[in-house]
Amino acid sequence: MGKILCLDGVWKLEALSVEDNNYGIADGSTFEIGIPGSVQDALIDSMVVPDPYLGCNELETLFIGKSDWAISREFELSIKRGCHYVLHLEKVDTIASLYINGEHVCSFDNEHRIYEPDVTAFLKDGKNEISFMFTSSEKVAIERAKALDHPVPCSRYRYDSPNRNLVRKAQCNAAWDWGLCLQTMGIYESIELHECGSYYLSSFSAIPEKASDGGWNLEIKARVTGFSYCRESLTASVAGISKTVEYDVFAGENVLLMSVPVPAESVELWWPNGYGTQPLYDVLICIGGPKGQSLTRRIGFRTIEVRNNTTMGGKELTVCVNGRPVFCKGANWIPLDARPALMTDERFDSIIRSARDANMNMLRVWGGGWYEKEAFYDACDRYGILIWHDLMFSCSTYPAEQWFLDSVELELKDQVRRLSSRTCIALWCGNNECLGALGWYEETMANLPLYIADYEKLYVNWIDRILVQEDPSRMYWPSSPCAGPGDYSDNWHCDGNGDMHYWTVWHERKDFEYYHKVRPRFCSEFGYQSFPSMSEVLSFADTSDFHINSAVMEHHQRNDEGNAIISEMFCRYYRPPKGFEGQLYLSQVQQAYAIQTAVTYWRSLMPYCMGTLYWQLNDVWPVSSWSSIEYSGKWKALHYAARRFYSPVAPLLYSEDGKAYVKVCNDSPSDYEGTCSVSVVGFDGSVHMFESFDVTVPSMTVSPVFELDLSSVDVSGCYLCASTGDMEETLLLCRPKDATLLDPALSYEVSETDTTGVFEVTVSCENPAFNVVLDAGFVKGRFEDNCFTLNGRRTVRFFCDDDISLKDYNDELKVYDLYSMCEY
């Protein structure tokens, strides 16, 4: 097997054409940069520029993305006669040129590409120099805009980089309504120089297909670059089964196809979280025998189908795994961090585990980011998280000129070939909201036929063809939201077909009850903002900034109306929060209330509705946003609520039209038999009514259990409680501000357990306490439950990620509830 020389490590960073700045950086200034990494990471880590996540420092770092830079290093190479040398490059961001020993090798203009140039002719025996010259993508975008024959508008955000849609890089680098502007440049994967003989094994896919005998055929597609003709054997191995076939390898690109029969008894089925286990199997392919080249992948054996049939008066969107319909429960994924160097395997694993632990089984990879790192897909495969995978187009029109189409074709071929073997990926989606964007801009509305033609040329005629050719095993869904192929309905407001984005409550400032006014077949976006927790605020602000409208807090709120919308809804639903800390707490309680209102009702519509993916799971920096997990990894109240409202067997409580309803939802693979206890409880803890119902809920059904006529009770003086098994949910029968809550006289004590890193918090109350939130401050870890209703006494465990004493933990811990944090 040929050698692989890794060129990671410390490189030299040089400023080439630098914008004005406050840090003395001029043309010719040099620094060290770690590769993989970005220019921004290098300058921040060496403290040349301030951390853009702190205060308003982002504004001090914008010049970096407007400037040109170079990186270079030397390396030793003993050239082997007759060998070829291939340089493997991924995530080159974005406009760059490669030089080896002063000679131009190739140029780059698409961050999503995988490049593998043959650099043999540029190398020499002994010392070599390699360098990349990076041009500001903002400069290139501006020049490209000037050359267009008609405007190609995109959505704009505060402090953003213009014309982001004309450069193929992560669109949110240019700023979003939850993200800062950090127009990164650099290389974010290992740089590898491969020594090859007559051929180079570039990549392979391994896709299991169900065989007629009940077993599997593992369809192998290996891509081999030949430098000269040879005849070589290709061996594929999986689950103790091997197959070898000989092939002619010609100069140029070769595609070697092989089908490996795998008996059903040799493998177990892979299932999404909540439906079964996630066994994974290593697939090894080797060309040229033991001294040849090899690659490995891990795959699961499963079938996947996305049904878009006409049922119940409209077109469904139902994901089926191994023939079983799956109610998709989850959230939308944005990039893990705005700084590439901070995207670690450990952080990917932690946040995907958090999704799993909240009973999620699907994430939507949103189209304004990038095709993720392998660690992301590894974690999703491992934890049973299905992926709705947008292609990287979002909230814009895009050019339909040939240079752009050609770049997109190469990008999609690279990424689909890289990812098509991934067990977790359920479907490909053409874009995020680009269909809807046709109606957002003055330019598009003035000449709609022109822009519709551009849209169809890119997504229908071009991308559809490529996806069908590269990955016929999966559905290509044209856009999110959309009613289906060829249907240009307004799926922000039309709910009967395909997937819906429902933003009426947030953007149109409607009451939470408006979530009950739509019946989506699949809601792939809906959300409500909250402020960060106190510990998160302290990670970027000083105590002098403790006001929602302070300069720093507003800088970390990128939705221009966000603070006003949150505060306006406080007035509609809650009594005034007490001070800054009360505002932070109440915003997270309110966010959980909003999303639970939506999910509870839409889950009650199963199987008419077959998916809810709220916006959004995570953050790229510490910020006020729609996320349920803070940038630091800390769970918000919403994420704890999601763990309950996404439980496979869950009591669903909601009210409408003068009645309160209790239903039991079961989207688990097994029938549920048990009891559902229902009670009406006064705010003094007295039980006004109690009934226990024997319930049988078949798999993938919802059973009504109880109805309460609200005119028969004092809705301001009591609440509804329902439990199935160990799951309990409560429902206030009026808006919280109208509830005549009593002082719960909340108290708590903390104790250690016999298990290292596990503390117990015992909380007690004299009267029922609502939205009880335990906050461990800066201590990393999670509670087993949170943001709950308490009537009496309860012990909650905290699983700590830090090595901390009981005293220090107790000092950090705070316990909040609705009564104590609002003006009752």
Side-chain angles (χ1 to χ4, degrees), residues 637-663:
L638 169 56
H639 207 75
Y640 286 105
R643 188 172 181 272
R644 295 193 299 272
F645 64 62
Y646 276 151
S647 178
V649 178
L652 305 178
L653 285 66
Y654 65 92
S655 62
E656 63 177 355
D657 299 330
K659 290 186 177 182
Y661 297 89
V662 177
K663 300 178 180 180

PDB file of all heavy atoms in Angstrom, residues 637-663:
ATOM      1  N   ALA A 637     -35.032  24.927  28.787  1.00  0.00           N
ATOM      2  CA  ALA A 637     -36.297  24.330  29.241  1.00  0.00           C
ATOM      3  C   ALA A 637     -36.980  23.580  28.104  1.00  0.00           C
ATOM      4  O   ALA A 637     -37.591  22.522  28.320  1.00  0.00           O
ATOM      5  CB  ALA A 637     -37.212  25.420  29.799  1.00  0.00           C
ATOM      6  N   LEU A 638     -36.888  24.110  26.888  1.00  0.00           N
ATOM      7  CA  LEU A 638     -37.523  23.463  25.744  1.00  0.00           C
ATOM      8  C   LEU A 638     -36.999  22.059  25.527  1.00  0.00           C
ATOM      9  O   LEU A 638     -37.767  21.141  25.212  1.00  0.00           O
ATOM     10  CB  LEU A 638     -37.319  24.309  24.477  1.00  0.00           C
ATOM     11  CG  LEU A 638     -37.704  23.638  23.143  1.00  0.00           C
ATOM     12  CD1 LEU A 638     -39.150  23.168  23.150  1.00  0.00           C
ATOM     13  CD2 LEU A 638     -37.454  24.593  21.975  1.00  0.00           C
ATOM     14  N   HIS A 639     -35.710  21.846  25.684  1.00  0.00           N
ATOM     15  CA  HIS A 639     -35.168  20.523  25.402  1.00  0.00           C
ATOM     16  C   HIS A 639     -35.643  19.510  26.438  1.00  0.00           C
ATOM     17  O   HIS A 639     -35.928  18.352  26.108  1.00  0.00           O
ATOM     18  CB  HIS A 639     -33.644  20.558  25.338  1.00  0.00           C
ATOM     19  CG  HIS A 639     -33.073  19.494  24.459  1.00  0.00           C
ATOM     20  ND1 HIS A 639     -33.117  19.561  23.082  1.00  0.00           N
ATOM     21  CD2 HIS A 639     -32.494  18.304  24.744  1.00  0.00           C
ATOM     22  CE1 HIS A 639     -32.570  18.482  22.564  1.00  0.00           C
ATOM     23  NE2 HIS A 639     -32.184  17.689  23.565  1.00  0.00           N
ATOM     24  N   TYR A 640     -35.753  19.957  27.689  1.00  0.00           N
ATOM     25  CA  TYR A 640     -36.327  19.063  28.701  1.00  0.00           C
ATOM     26  C   TYR A 640     -37.792  18.779  28.401  1.00  0.00           C
ATOM     27  O   TYR A 640     -38.264  17.646  28.564  1.00  0.00           O
ATOM     28  CB  TYR A 640     -36.180  19.683  30.091  1.00  0.00           C
ATOM     29  CG  TYR A 640     -34.768  19.641  30.621  1.00  0.00           C
ATOM     30  CD1 TYR A 640     -33.975  20.788  30.656  1.00  0.00           C
ATOM     31  CD2 TYR A 640     -34.217  18.456  31.109  1.00  0.00           C
ATOM     32  CE1 TYR A 640     -32.687  20.757  31.162  1.00  0.00           C
ATOM     33  CE2 TYR A 640     -32.927  18.414  31.609  1.00  0.00           C
ATOM     34  CZ  TYR A 640     -32.161  19.567  31.629  1.00  0.00           C
ATOM     35  OH  TYR A 640     -30.877  19.525  32.112  1.00  0.00           O
ATOM     36  N   ALA A 641     -38.522  19.803  27.965  1.00  0.00           N
ATOM     37  CA  ALA A 641     -39.922  19.584  27.600  1.00  0.00           C
ATOM     38  C   ALA A 641     -40.026  18.632  26.419  1.00  0.00           C
ATOM     39  O   ALA A 641     -40.918  17.770  26.376  1.00  0.00           O
ATOM     40  CB  ALA A 641     -40.592  20.920  27.281  1.00  0.00           C
ATOM     41  N   ALA A 642     -39.108  18.775  25.459  1.00  0.00           N
ATOM     42  CA  ALA A 642     -39.125  17.895  24.284  1.00  0.00           C
ATOM     43  C   ALA A 642     -38.927  16.440  24.690  1.00  0.00           C
ATOM     44  O   ALA A 642     -39.525  15.527  24.089  1.00  0.00           O
ATOM     45  CB  ALA A 642     -38.060  18.322  23.288  1.00  0.00           C
ATOM     46  N   ARG A 643     -38.096  16.214  25.687  1.00  0.00           N
ATOM     47  CA  ARG A 643     -37.884  14.843  26.157  1.00  0.00           C
ATOM     48  C   ARG A 643     -39.207  14.210  26.588  1.00  0.00           C
ATOM     49  O   ARG A 643     -39.414  13.006  26.414  1.00  0.00           O
ATOM     50  CB  ARG A 643     -36.880  14.850  27.302  1.00  0.00           C
ATOM     51  CG  ARG A 643     -36.431  13.470  27.766  1.00  0.00           C
ATOM     52  CD  ARG A 643     -35.299  13.589  28.770  1.00  0.00           C
ATOM     53  NE  ARG A 643     -34.839  12.281  29.202  1.00  0.00           N
ATOM     54  CZ  ARG A 643     -35.360  11.618  30.225  1.00  0.00           C
ATOM     55  NH1 ARG A 643     -36.358  12.155  30.918  1.00  0.00           N
ATOM     56  NH2 ARG A 643     -34.890  10.434  30.565  1.00  0.00           N
ATOM     57  N   ARG A 644     -40.093  15.038  27.148  1.00  0.00           N
ATOM     58  CA  ARG A 644     -41.409  14.528  27.560  1.00  0.00           C
ATOM     59  C   ARG A 644     -42.386  14.494  26.386  1.00  0.00           C
ATOM     60  O   ARG A 644     -43.038  13.484  26.134  1.00  0.00           O
ATOM     61  CB  ARG A 644     -41.970  15.381  28.695  1.00  0.00           C
ATOM     62  CG  ARG A 644     -41.169  15.305  29.990  1.00  0.00           C
ATOM     63  CD  ARG A 644     -41.950  15.911  31.157  1.00  0.00           C
ATOM     64  NE  ARG A 644     -42.263  17.316  30.940  1.00  0.00           N
ATOM     65  CZ  ARG A 644     -41.480  18.327  31.273  1.00  0.00           C
ATOM     66  NH1 ARG A 644     -40.307  18.089  31.845  1.00  0.00           N
ATOM     67  NH2 ARG A 644     -41.845  19.572  31.047  1.00  0.00           N
ATOM     68  N   PHE A 645     -42.506  15.618  25.648  1.00  0.00           N
ATOM     69  CA  PHE A 645     -43.556  15.626  24.619  1.00  0.00           C
ATOM     70  C   PHE A 645     -43.196  14.794  23.398  1.00  0.00           C
ATOM     71  O   PHE A 645     -44.052  14.531  22.553  1.00  0.00           O
ATOM     72  CB  PHE A 645     -44.013  17.038  24.249  1.00  0.00           C
ATOM     73  CG  PHE A 645     -43.019  17.979  23.612  1.00  0.00           C
ATOM     74  CD1 PHE A 645     -42.422  17.712  22.385  1.00  0.00           C
ATOM     75  CD2 PHE A 645     -42.724  19.199  24.212  1.00  0.00           C
ATOM     76  CE1 PHE A 645     -41.547  18.596  21.779  1.00  0.00           C
ATOM     77  CE2 PHE A 645     -41.849  20.110  23.622  1.00  0.00           C
ATOM     78  CZ  PHE A 645     -41.261  19.807  22.400  1.00  0.00           C
ATOM     79  N   TYR A 646     -41.925  14.354  23.289  1.00  0.00           N
ATOM     80  CA  TYR A 646     -41.540  13.408  22.244  1.00  0.00           C
ATOM     81  C   TYR A 646     -41.433  11.970  22.767  1.00  0.00           C
ATOM     82  O   TYR A 646     -40.980  11.083  22.051  1.00  0.00           O
ATOM     83  CB  TYR A 646     -40.197  13.811  21.630  1.00  0.00           C
ATOM     84  CG  TYR A 646     -40.273  14.849  20.530  1.00  0.00           C
ATOM     85  CD1 TYR A 646     -39.205  15.715  20.301  1.00  0.00           C
ATOM     86  CD2 TYR A 646     -41.389  14.958  19.707  1.00  0.00           C
ATOM     87  CE1 TYR A 646     -39.240  16.660  19.279  1.00  0.00           C
ATOM     88  CE2 TYR A 646     -41.441  15.905  18.695  1.00  0.00           C
ATOM     89  CZ  TYR A 646     -40.370  16.757  18.485  1.00  0.00           C
ATOM     90  OH  TYR A 646     -40.412  17.683  17.469  1.00  0.00           O
ATOM     91  N   SER A 647     -41.848  11.745  24.009  1.00  0.00           N
ATOM     92  CA  SER A 647     -41.802  10.389  24.545  1.00  0.00           C
ATOM     93  C   SER A 647     -42.623   9.450  23.658  1.00  0.00           C
ATOM     94  O   SER A 647     -43.706   9.823  23.179  1.00  0.00           O
ATOM     95  CB  SER A 647     -42.362  10.369  25.968  1.00  0.00           C
ATOM     96  OG  SER A 647     -42.362   9.063  26.487  1.00  0.00           O
ATOM     97  N   PRO A 648     -42.133   8.220  23.389  1.00  0.00           N
ATOM     98  CA  PRO A 648     -42.875   7.310  22.492  1.00  0.00           C
ATOM     99  C   PRO A 648     -44.316   7.073  22.928  1.00  0.00           C
ATOM    100  O   PRO A 648     -45.219   7.013  22.097  1.00  0.00           O
ATOM    101  CB  PRO A 648     -42.046   6.024  22.551  1.00  0.00           C
ATOM    102  CG  PRO A 648     -40.659   6.479  22.874  1.00  0.00           C
ATOM    103  CD  PRO A 648     -40.836   7.644  23.807  1.00  0.00           C
ATOM    104  N   VAL A 649     -44.542   6.918  24.230  1.00  0.00           N
ATOM    105  CA  VAL A 649     -45.898   6.832  24.773  1.00  0.00           C
ATOM    106  C   VAL A 649     -46.074   8.036  25.679  1.00  0.00           C
ATOM    107  O   VAL A 649     -45.363   8.187  26.682  1.00  0.00           O
ATOM    108  CB  VAL A 649     -46.123   5.524  25.549  1.00  0.00           C
ATOM    109  CG1 VAL A 649     -47.532   5.498  26.140  1.00  0.00           C
ATOM    110  CG2 VAL A 649     -45.898   4.313  24.649  1.00  0.00           C
ATOM    111  N   ALA A 650     -47.000   8.922  25.304  1.00  0.00           N
ATOM    112  CA  ALA A 650     -47.096  10.193  26.014  1.00  0.00           C
ATOM    113  C   ALA A 650     -48.546  10.608  26.183  1.00  0.00           C
ATOM    114  O   ALA A 650     -49.353  10.458  25.251  1.00  0.00           O
ATOM    115  CB  ALA A 650     -46.342  11.283  25.252  1.00  0.00           C
ATOM    116  N   PRO A 651     -48.887  11.143  27.360  1.00  0.00           N
ATOM    117  CA  PRO A 651     -50.193  11.788  27.490  1.00  0.00           C
ATOM    118  C   PRO A 651     -50.163  13.139  26.782  1.00  0.00           C
ATOM    119  O   PRO A 651     -49.212  13.912  26.945  1.00  0.00           O
ATOM    120  CB  PRO A 651     -50.359  11.939  29.001  1.00  0.00           C
ATOM    121  CG  PRO A 651     -48.962  11.992  29.537  1.00  0.00           C
ATOM    122  CD  PRO A 651     -48.109  11.189  28.602  1.00  0.00           C
ATOM    123  N   LEU A 652     -51.165  13.413  25.986  1.00  0.00           N
ATOM    124  CA  LEU A 652     -51.264  14.678  25.262  1.00  0.00           C
ATOM    125  C   LEU A 652     -52.412  15.480  25.862  1.00  0.00           C
ATOM    126  O   LEU A 652     -53.557  15.020  25.873  1.00  0.00           O
ATOM    127  CB  LEU A 652     -51.533  14.433  23.771  1.00  0.00           C
ATOM    128  CG  LEU A 652     -50.549  13.521  23.030  1.00  0.00           C
ATOM    129  CD1 LEU A 652     -50.981  13.348  21.572  1.00  0.00           C
ATOM    130  CD2 LEU A 652     -49.123  14.067  23.103  1.00  0.00           C
ATOM    131  N   LEU A 653     -52.104  16.669  26.362  1.00  0.00           N
ATOM    132  CA  LEU A 653     -53.103  17.531  26.986  1.00  0.00           C
ATOM    133  C   LEU A 653     -53.174  18.839  26.224  1.00  0.00           C
ATOM    134  O   LEU A 653     -52.144  19.497  25.996  1.00  0.00           O
ATOM    135  CB  LEU A 653     -52.744  17.826  28.452  1.00  0.00           C
ATOM    136  CG  LEU A 653     -52.950  16.749  29.506  1.00  0.00           C
ATOM    137  CD1 LEU A 653     -52.029  15.559  29.296  1.00  0.00           C
ATOM    138  CD2 LEU A 653     -52.740  17.342  30.905  1.00  0.00           C
ATOM    139  N   TYR A 654     -54.377  19.234  25.808  1.00  0.00           N
ATOM    140  CA  TYR A 654     -54.551  20.536  25.171  1.00  0.00           C
ATOM    141  C   TYR A 654     -55.993  20.964  25.323  1.00  0.00           C
ATOM    142  O   TYR A 654     -56.884  20.158  25.638  1.00  0.00           O
ATOM    143  CB  TYR A 654     -54.137  20.499  23.701  1.00  0.00           C
ATOM    144  CG  TYR A 654     -54.976  19.606  22.812  1.00  0.00           C
ATOM    145  CD1 TYR A 654     -56.082  20.108  22.119  1.00  0.00           C
ATOM    146  CD2 TYR A 654     -54.660  18.263  22.644  1.00  0.00           C
ATOM    147  CE1 TYR A 654     -56.850  19.288  21.292  1.00  0.00           C
ATOM    148  CE2 TYR A 654     -55.401  17.439  21.820  1.00  0.00           C
ATOM    149  CZ  TYR A 654     -56.506  17.969  21.143  1.00  0.00           C
ATOM    150  OH  TYR A 654     -57.265  17.158  20.329  1.00  0.00           O
ATOM    151  N   SER A 655     -56.233  22.238  25.110  1.00  0.00           N
ATOM    152  CA  SER A 655     -57.597  22.764  25.207  1.00  0.00           C
ATOM    153  C   SER A 655     -57.936  23.559  23.962  1.00  0.00           C
ATOM    154  O   SER A 655     -57.070  24.208  23.365  1.00  0.00           O
ATOM    155  CB  SER A 655     -57.752  23.639  26.456  1.00  0.00           C
ATOM    156  OG  SER A 655     -56.891  24.764  26.401  1.00  0.00           O
ATOM    157  N   GLU A 656     -59.182  23.488  23.566  1.00  0.00           N
ATOM    158  CA  GLU A 656     -59.713  24.327  22.495  1.00  0.00           C
ATOM    159  C   GLU A 656     -61.233  24.257  22.527  1.00  0.00           C
ATOM    160  O   GLU A 656     -61.827  23.257  22.970  1.00  0.00           O
ATOM    161  CB  GLU A 656     -59.180  23.911  21.117  1.00  0.00           C
ATOM    162  CG  GLU A 656     -59.549  22.534  20.653  1.00  0.00           C
ATOM    163  CD  GLU A 656     -59.042  22.245  19.245  1.00  0.00           C
ATOM    164  OE1 GLU A 656     -58.482  23.163  18.623  1.00  0.00           O
ATOM    165  OE2 GLU A 656     -59.235  21.114  18.776  1.00  0.00           O
ATOM    166  N   ASP A 657     -61.852  25.337  22.081  1.00  0.00           N
ATOM    167  CA  ASP A 657     -63.308  25.428  21.964  1.00  0.00           C
ATOM    168  C   ASP A 657     -64.021  25.052  23.253  1.00  0.00           C
ATOM    169  O   ASP A 657     -65.032  24.328  23.265  1.00  0.00           O
ATOM    170  CB  ASP A 657     -63.808  24.533  20.821  1.00  0.00           C
ATOM    171  CG  ASP A 657     -63.227  24.929  19.467  1.00  0.00           C
ATOM    172  OD1 ASP A 657     -62.952  26.131  19.289  1.00  0.00           O
ATOM    173  OD2 ASP A 657     -63.031  24.047  18.622  1.00  0.00           O
ATOM    174  N   GLY A 658     -63.486  25.533  24.398  1.00  0.00           N
ATOM    175  CA  GLY A 658     -64.174  25.349  25.662  1.00  0.00           C
ATOM    176  C   GLY A 658     -64.016  23.988  26.296  1.00  0.00           C
ATOM    177  O   GLY A 658     -64.699  23.686  27.295  1.00  0.00           O
ATOM    178  N   LYS A 659     -63.146  23.156  25.769  1.00  0.00           N
ATOM    179  CA  LYS A 659     -62.919  21.840  26.344  1.00  0.00           C
ATOM    180  C   LYS A 659     -61.423  21.580  26.492  1.00  0.00           C
ATOM    181  O   LYS A 659     -60.613  22.097  25.723  1.00  0.00           O
ATOM    182  CB  LYS A 659     -63.551  20.744  25.480  1.00  0.00           C
ATOM    183  CG  LYS A 659     -65.059  20.725  25.496  1.00  0.00           C
ATOM    184  CD  LYS A 659     -65.602  19.515  24.741  1.00  0.00           C
ATOM    185  CE  LYS A 659     -67.124  19.459  24.834  1.00  0.00           C
ATOM    186  NZ  LYS A 659     -67.656  18.263  24.133  1.00  0.00           N
ATOM    187  N   ALA A 660     -61.065  20.756  27.466  1.00  0.00           N
ATOM    188  CA  ALA A 660     -59.703  20.253  27.604  1.00  0.00           C
ATOM    189  C   ALA A 660     -59.710  18.774  27.278  1.00  0.00           C
ATOM    190  O   ALA A 660     -60.654  18.049  27.640  1.00  0.00           O
ATOM    191  CB  ALA A 660     -59.169  20.483  29.014  1.00  0.00           C
ATOM    192  N   TYR A 661     -58.679  18.333  26.588  1.00  0.00           N
ATOM    193  CA  TYR A 661     -58.624  16.957  26.104  1.00  0.00           C
ATOM    194  C   TYR A 661     -57.394  16.251  26.664  1.00  0.00           C
ATOM    195  O   TYR A 661     -56.312  16.848  26.792  1.00  0.00           O
ATOM    196  CB  TYR A 661     -58.548  16.924  24.578  1.00  0.00           C
ATOM    197  CG  TYR A 661     -59.755  17.517  23.893  1.00  0.00           C
ATOM    198  CD1 TYR A 661     -59.805  18.884  23.596  1.00  0.00           C
ATOM    199  CD2 TYR A 661     -60.853  16.730  23.556  1.00  0.00           C
ATOM    200  CE1 TYR A 661     -60.908  19.436  22.972  1.00  0.00           C
ATOM    201  CE2 TYR A 661     -61.966  17.275  22.931  1.00  0.00           C
ATOM    202  CZ  TYR A 661     -61.989  18.625  22.644  1.00  0.00           C
ATOM    203  OH  TYR A 661     -63.098  19.176  22.029  1.00  0.00           O
ATOM    204  N   VAL A 662     -57.579  14.973  26.982  1.00  0.00           N
ATOM    205  CA  VAL A 662     -56.464  14.098  27.329  1.00  0.00           C
ATOM    206  C   VAL A 662     -56.493  12.937  26.347  1.00  0.00           C
ATOM    207  O   VAL A 662     -57.512  12.239  26.223  1.00  0.00           O
ATOM    208  CB  VAL A 662     -56.560  13.568  28.773  1.00  0.00           C
ATOM    209  CG1 VAL A 662     -55.411  12.590  29.048  1.00  0.00           C
ATOM    210  CG2 VAL A 662     -56.541  14.709  29.774  1.00  0.00           C
ATOM    211  N   LYS A 663     -55.391  12.732  25.655  1.00  0.00           N
ATOM    212  CA  LYS A 663     -55.239  11.618  24.734  1.00  0.00           C
ATOM    213  C   LYS A 663     -53.923  10.932  25.042  1.00  0.00           C
ATOM    214  O   LYS A 663     -53.027  11.526  25.649  1.00  0.00           O
ATOM    215  CB  LYS A 663     -55.277  12.091  23.276  1.00  0.00           C
ATOM    216  CG  LYS A 663     -56.572  12.795  22.888  1.00  0.00           C
ATOM    217  CD  LYS A 663     -56.547  13.284  21.439  1.00  0.00           C
ATOM    218  CE  LYS A 663     -57.860  13.985  21.092  1.00  0.00           C
ATOM    219  NZ  LYS A 663     -57.878  14.467  19.688  1.00  0.00           N
TER     220      LYS A 663
END
